[in-house]
Amino acid sequence: MIKFFRKHTKKLLAVFMALLLVVWLGGSALESMLAASTSDRVFANTAYGDIVELDQRIANSQTNLLDTIGVNWKMPLFGRGQREPLGVTEWILLAREAERYGIKVRRVEAQQFLASPQLGRTEDVILQLAKRNDVKVESFYDAAAQFLAIFQVANMTLSTGTRSEAEVRLAARNELEKVKINLVALRASSLDTADTDFSDAELEAQFNEYRDREPGGGLNFGYVQTAQVKVQYFRIDIEEVAANVRVLERTLESRAKEYWRKNRESAQFRKPPEPVTDDADDADQPEGPVDPAAEPEEPESPYFETFADAREAAIRAVRREFATKEIDDISGWLLRQLSEPWYDAPKGDDSYKIGPADVVAPDHYAGILDRIPAGLKYGNAVTIHTSDFFNRTNMGKVVPMLARASSPSRGTTGAGSAFRDVVFRTQGIEPIPTQPGAATAEYLARGQTFPQQVRTFDGTQHVFRVIDVKPSGPAESMSEVRDQVTADLRLKRAFVEAERLAERLANLVGDAGLKAAFDGDDELTALVQAPSGYYSPAPLARRRQGSVGVSSNTANMVYVSGVGTVDGSFIERCFELGKSGAASKIARIPVKDSASVVVVEWVETEPLREDVYEAEHRRLVSQIGRGAMVQAAGEWLDPVRIRDRNGFSFPTQ
């Protein structure tokens, strides 16, 4: 072999050099030829032509550019009726439909769309984005034009059609026909059963019956424990920063005066309300339970009239303006220190990152706190806190400020992320989504800090991480939820007592009416406590005003004073009491969701008047049409329906 190479060295070198020359001169042509061969590879078949790999590349490029400029291409009708987001395949099919309909969007229309106030992507911004992403400016406008074409087709196909007069009259009946009732609400929770004890056998039986059910309100018992998390967080107090921020005293007064001049009719410059004295006249206060919805609103205090009166509030406001910038710098520094160790962290089998042991450790935040630069220290503005375990239900009690916090809005792409949502997107609670285009950045490992600060309404910021979790699932034993099981059994027993009292009251009602019977029942009035009691609510309709055409489950949920929110069956039962063939004008109606028994007295039915119907006719037709449109949107943009109407299928070979 060696002799062969020695003998033919010159020939081999010549052949090698020739091959190099071919690659050098014809490389791009070869690459194009090879690319062309893969670009023609069929990905799927449709009734209107195959989808090849090149189609997918173009669609991926367009949708990525739309993501860059903040256009939600997955929801082309901005979520109206759409239940599932689109994927790239659906994008291709919808784009072909637009082409078949002859929809062509001009460049100027794409420019106007991108430069609209909602997006703010002017030509200068698009030019910068094109340079940053190393693409042509036209690529952005082509992608936007394709989005608008799909939007226009979807809008064209969502015809409301003609609504029948019978449909409109039914809607008017549901919204505008009303029933007037009086009622006595007997809530089981207001009956005292605190001294009731139960045997272990009773507790175990209750637990076993409901151990695999999700807990709900009232008598909807359940002992499946919802997911719980424990968080550790930095709290950056804006008031502490404002009190210690460095502001030139010689300019503070003039800054405060100018701020007051520009904002003198904002809420911060209202006079404090007059204090209420203990000996205030309460003669006009109503007796018995009070409906919160019926309480009058307190009048707003007047504004300060002079700067001298507003001076303290104005100085605080100026200091807060300075503090807002400083607090952003503090949270930004913390986030950089806390995220750096995670950049190159490996991933585990669940795709969550595996952080270094010292970074995941509980004392890591304390070490970061000690390293805060002197220029970012403002008294005790930055503190560390660790919560108890909490779930979505009790979050407001365990971490009340964080429960209402959210991250800053993402420019023009939408609102920020609410803490109450992202805190549960964590390892051990939710798997990281794998579908294309899914937002995975907010799914974090235990011990990994959320990549944005979250703010509360007063401007205070928090930087947090989840340090421990308890996944959802049935309680392992009755002892784990013994207190809840005991409380539920007491509520169940109190509900039986409420049924007994309601039956007795209903039998006592005579010609004098429900209120007289209630006031005259000494045992009953002695037992019940607010919010149980006698109520005379406003006339009730079968559906909430303006809910016609709305298909949500809450559309026929109505609030009733003293009872709470009830479904349509409660209201329909009240209407039935007023019918000519009704055996009685009194009924006992159990309400499971609030563990209540309601004694209802029918007073009158207010029928739908023809003049009211004529006045409301146009609104009702419009609402029904919008409801039909929303339903049609969900059907037209449903991924399964998109594929079906285009004859989509994968190649058999």
Side-chain angles (χ1 to χ4, degrees):
M1 180 64 72
I2 295 175
K3 289 181 180 180
F4 174 81
F5 279 114
R6 285 177 179 172
K7 182 177 180 181
H8 301 286
T9 298
K10 291 182 180 180
K11 294 179 182 178
L12 290 172
L13 283 173
V15 171
F16 179 68
M17 293 302 293
L19 288 172
L20 283 177
L21 189 62
V22 168
V23 171
W24 179 54
L25 293 175
S28 60
L30 284 170
E31 185 179 353
S32 299
M33 185 175 66
L34 291 173
S37 65
T38 58
S39 298
D40 292 337
R41 185 181 303 155
V42 175
F43 164 73
N45 308 119
T46 77
Y48 304 99
D50 295 337
I51 298 177
V52 298
E53 194 167 313
L54 179 60
D55 295 323
Q56 286 193 302
R57 288 185 200 167
I58 294 172
N60 275 316
S61 174
Q62 287 183 335
T63 53
N64 286 336
L65 290 177
L66 291 173
D67 283 333
T68 301
I69 55 182
V71 175
N72 189 359
W73 61 272
K74 298 176 184 178
M75 297 283 188
L77 284 177
F78 311 105
R80 283 184 294 171
Q82 193 175 343
R83 297 177 185 85
E84 293 184 39
L86 302 178
V88 172
T89 300
E90 288 75 42
W91 173 267
I92 295 170
L93 296 173
L94 289 173
R96 291 186 175 185
E97 286 182 342
E99 185 178 357
R100 291 201 305 276
Y101 278 105
I103 301 297
K104 293 183 179 179
V105 177
R106 295 174 299 162
R107 186 184 194 275
V108 66
E109 294 176 285
Q111 282 179 291
Q112 291 171 351
F113 169 66
L114 294 181
S116 63
Q118 291 82 2
L119 291 172
R121 304 305 189 184
T122 61
E123 290 188 68
D124 290 339
V125 174
I126 293 297
L127 180 61
Q128 293 173 8
L129 289 172
K131 290 179 179 178
R132 192 183 308 162
N133 290 274
D134 194 25
V135 297
K136 295 179 180 179
V137 170
E138 291 305 315
S139 298
F140 281 101
Y141 291 121
D142 290 344
Q146 189 67 80
F147 173 83
L148 288 175
I150 291 173
F151 171 79
Q152 289 180 25
V153 173
N155 252 345
M156 280 190 340
T157 57
L158 305 184
S159 171
T160 60
T162 303
R163 316 323 307 174
S164 70
E165 188 63 17
E167 190 176 357
V168 179
R169 280 205 171 268
L170 177 61
R173 165 188 171 271
N174 289 339
E175 270 199 16
L176 303 173
E177 187 177 64
K178 297 181 179 180
V179 61
K180 177 73 177 104
I181 61 170
N182 297 322
L183 64 88
V184 170
L186 299 174
R187 294 200 178 207
S189 59
S190 68
L191 299 176
D192 187 9
T193 57
D195 296 334
T196 308
D197 292 322
F198 302 96
S199 66
D200 287 345
E202 289 176 301
L203 293 171
E204 285 289 349
Q206 171 75 8
F207 172 70
N208 289 330
E209 184 176 356
Y210 297 101
R211 70 178 300 169
D212 295 322
R213 299 186 191 180
E214 296 280 350
L219 300 176
N220 300 301
F221 306 128
Y223 304 113
V224 169
Q225 303 298 288
T226 57
Q228 300 180 69
V229 296
K230 178 187 285 189
V231 296
Q232 187 180 48
Y233 58 96
F234 287 100
R235 183 176 188 270
I236 313 169
D237 188 339
I238 192 169
E239 296 297 342
E240 186 73 10
V241 175
N244 292 276
V245 70
R246 290 167 286 280
V247 183
L248 289 175
E249 290 296 329
R250 65 175 182 270
T251 64
L252 182 57
E253 187 85 6
S254 60
R255 288 178 185 273
K257 188 174 292 185
E258 180 66 14
Y259 184 91
W260 174 71
R261 187 183 65 81
K262 292 181 178 179
N263 303 278
R264 60 192 303 166
E265 291 191 357
S266 61
Q268 60 196 314
F269 293 127
R270 288 190 181 277
K271 295 179 181 179
E274 294 290 334
V276 179
T277 58
D278 293 336
D279 57 350
D281 182 17
D282 60 354
D284 295 332
Q285 297 297 316
E287 296 182 3
V290 177
D291 181 8
E295 292 188 11
E297 294 184 3
E298 294 186 6
E300 293 183 325
S301 301
Y303 298 105
F304 290 120
E305 296 176 2
T306 65
F307 174 69
D309 294 333
R311 181 177 179 277
E312 286 188 27
I315 287 176
R316 283 198 304 271
V318 170
R319 284 190 164 275
R320 280 179 65 91
E321 278 196 337
F322 278 87
T324 299
K325 179 184 179 305
E326 298 302 315
I327 204 172
D328 284 340
D329 291 343
I330 297 169
S331 60
W333 185 87
L334 289 171
L335 289 168
R336 287 192 295 275
Q337 308 307 308
L338 294 165
S339 60
E340 188 175 350
W342 292 88
Y343 284 138
D344 300 322
K347 292 184 178 180
D349 294 338
D350 58 0
S351 296
Y352 278 100
K353 289 187 174 183
I354 304 172
D358 60 325
V359 172
V360 178
D363 60 353
H364 179 59
Y365 270 22
I368 297 294
L369 180 62
D370 293 339
R371 289 166 31 205
I372 293 180
L376 296 178
K377 290 184 177 179
Y378 296 94
N380 294 318
V382 185
T383 51
I384 299 174
H385 306 266
T386 302
S387 75
D388 292 329
F389 278 103
F390 61 85
N391 56 30
R392 293 182 185 274
T393 302
N394 67 1
M395 181 191 309
K397 295 181 179 179
V398 181
V399 284
M401 296 299 288
L402 276 172
R404 293 175 288 175
S406 61
S407 64
S409 61
R410 307 183 193 94
T412 59
T413 61
S417 301
F419 171 85
R420 65 183 310 109
D421 294 327
V422 298
V423 72
F424 293 100
R425 294 172 189 158
T426 191
Q427 187 177 26
I429 300 294
E430 290 190 16
I432 296 178
T434 57
Q435 62 268 32
T440 59
E442 293 180 346
Y443 290 79
L444 304 175
R446 267 174 282 180
Q448 185 177 5
T449 297
F450 186 70
Q452 286 184 292
Q453 70 273 39
V454 293
R455 295 178 178 143
T456 52
F457 64 92
D458 66 342
T460 292
Q461 295 190 11
H462 302 78
V463 173
F464 75 93
R465 63 175 180 169
V466 174
I467 57 174
D468 203 357
V469 302
K470 291 181 180 179
S472 62
E476 294 183 4
S477 65
M478 190 275 293
S479 59
E480 189 178 339
V481 289
R482 186 184 186 95
D483 290 345
Q484 185 60 54
V485 174
T486 302
D488 290 346
L489 279 174
R490 286 174 178 164
L491 186 66
K492 186 186 287 188
R493 184 163 293 182
F495 183 77
V496 173
E497 176 65 5
E499 288 183 310
R500 183 188 72 81
L501 293 172
E503 182 178 9
R504 194 180 76 174
L505 176 62
N507 292 332
L508 290 174
V509 177
D511 294 337
L514 179 62
K515 189 175 191 312
F518 175 70
D519 291 340
D521 190 336
D522 294 336
E523 180 190 358
L524 182 59
T525 54
L527 283 173
V528 300
Q529 304 172 18
S532 292
Y534 175 85
Y535 292 84
S536 183
L540 305 168
R542 293 177 175 86
R543 290 175 70 103
R544 290 183 289 106
Q545 187 80 18
S547 67
V548 168
V550 177
S551 59
S552 76
N553 294 330
T554 62
N556 67 338
M557 302 297 283
V558 178
Y559 177 80
V560 180
S561 297
V563 183
T565 302
V566 299
D567 61 20
S569 63
F570 181 97
I571 305 298
E572 198 60 52
R573 183 75 181 91
C574 295
F575 274 103
E576 288 173 0
L577 293 176
K579 293 181 179 179
S580 58
S584 172
K585 305 303 181 186
I586 303 294
R588 289 176 289 116
I589 306 176
V591 182
K592 186 177 180 181
D593 290 346
S594 59
S596 305
V597 183
V598 185
V599 180
V600 174
E601 175 187 46
W602 176 85
V603 178
E604 67 172 332
T605 298
E606 299 177 5
L608 172 62
R609 299 203 321 264
E610 196 63 27
D611 61 327
V612 175
Y613 176 71
E614 292 296 332
E616 296 288 336
H617 189 274
R618 173 178 285 187
R619 176 185 67 82
L620 292 167
V621 170
S622 176
Q623 279 184 221
I624 295 171
R626 283 199 299 271
M629 182 176 177
V630 168
Q631 183 179 356
E635 294 174 356
W636 180 260
L637 294 173
D638 179 73
V640 174
R641 290 175 182 264
I642 292 172
R643 296 189 179 206
D644 286 348
R645 69 174 178 260
N646 283 276
F648 178 91
S649 65
F650 290 107
T652 54
Q653 294 182 347

